[in-house]
């Protein structure tokens, strides 16, 4: 029998048009940097880390697609396994299909290269319908935006971490994005979130 809660689970968690209008046009991703790519790998491979498998998700814009391809190549070259590479549009009916494809293989971590608006929508679906965990997810600099957190909803992205274009790091907690400058030479900015 179908319960109200089961029906809610399958409804699309679309962001209301009024919320979208409030935040205006969000920027499209810029091309990734080598520093960003290096830091992302470091966020996953800090001392004591057991991250071997990842699933990579990306928006369909050129910058996000190229960033995902670059990460996938670098991760495999370093001996890691990529279980899935999943893309999604900036607008969709529910984002259920990419959410289930991204989480189907149960990776050790997720890597995201995306435009904020599409990822906000996908993150709402991931939190509602899958076992995805933002604290096991790292992202490129394009998601280093507090508006993303507001659009995704309270605590939906708590624990999400990422790399800045300059090689710094950032993390999302309690509706805020906190950024750190790149580590001094010889030290690593990477580590658990």
């Amino acid at each position: 029998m179908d319960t109200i809660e089961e029906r809610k689970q399958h409804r699309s968690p679309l962001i209301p048009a009024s919320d979208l209008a409030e935040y205006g046009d969000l920027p499209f991703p810029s091309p990734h940097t080598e520093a960003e790519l290096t830091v992302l790998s470091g966020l996953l491979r800090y001392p004591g880390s057991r991250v071997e498998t990842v699933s990579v998700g990306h928006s369909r814009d050129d910058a996000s697609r190229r960033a995902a391809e670059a990460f996938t190549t670098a991760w495999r070259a370093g001996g890691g396994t990529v279980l899935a590479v999943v893309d999604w549009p900036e607008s969709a009916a529910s984002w259920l299909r990419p959410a289930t494809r991204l989480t189907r293989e149960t990776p050790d971590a997720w890597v995201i290269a995306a435009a904020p608006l599409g990822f906000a929508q996908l993150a709402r679906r991931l939190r509602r319908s899958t076992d995805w965990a933002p604290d096991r997810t790292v992202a490129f600099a394009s998601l280093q935006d507090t508006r993303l957190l507001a659009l995704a909803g309270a605590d939906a992205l708590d624990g999400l971490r990422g790399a800045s274009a300059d090689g710094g790091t950032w993390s999302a907690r309690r509706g805020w994005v906190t950024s750190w400058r790149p580590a001094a030479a010889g030290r690593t900015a990477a580590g658990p979130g």
Side-chain angles (χ1 to χ4, degrees), residues 4 22 43 45 50 84-85 101 126-127 154-155 162 184:
I4 291 174
E22 183 178 334
L43 286 169
R45 291 202 166 138
R50 294 190 182 124
V85 177
R101 287 180 51 222
L126 285 164
R127 291 296 276 175
D155 303 326

Side-chain angles (χ1 to χ4, degrees), residues 97-123:
R97 197 170 285 149
T100 54
R101 287 180 51 222
L102 196 59
T103 57
R104 182 178 298 136
E105 300 279 340
T106 316
D108 298 326
W110 290 273
V111 178
I112 305 295
L117 180 57
F119 184 65
Q121 300 271 29
L122 178 65

Side-chain angles (χ1 to χ4, degrees), residues 13-15 57-59 86-90 92 94-102 112 114-130 132 148 152 157:
L14 292 174
I15 296 171
H58 65 89
S59 299
V86 178
D87 64 36
W88 57 84
E90 285 304 291
S94 78
W95 280 273
L96 183 58
R97 197 170 285 149
T100 54
R101 287 180 51 222
L102 196 59
I112 305 295
L117 180 57
F119 184 65
Q121 300 271 29
L122 178 65
R124 290 166 67 102
R125 174 54 78 189
L126 285 164
R127 291 296 276 175
R128 178 179 240 164
S129 304
T130 72
W132 175 74
L148 166 69
L157 296 174

Side-chain angles (χ1 to χ4, degrees), residues 143-154:
L143 297 182
Q144 187 179 354
D145 191 324
T146 302
R147 294 173 295 179
L148 166 69
L149 307 184
L151 285 168

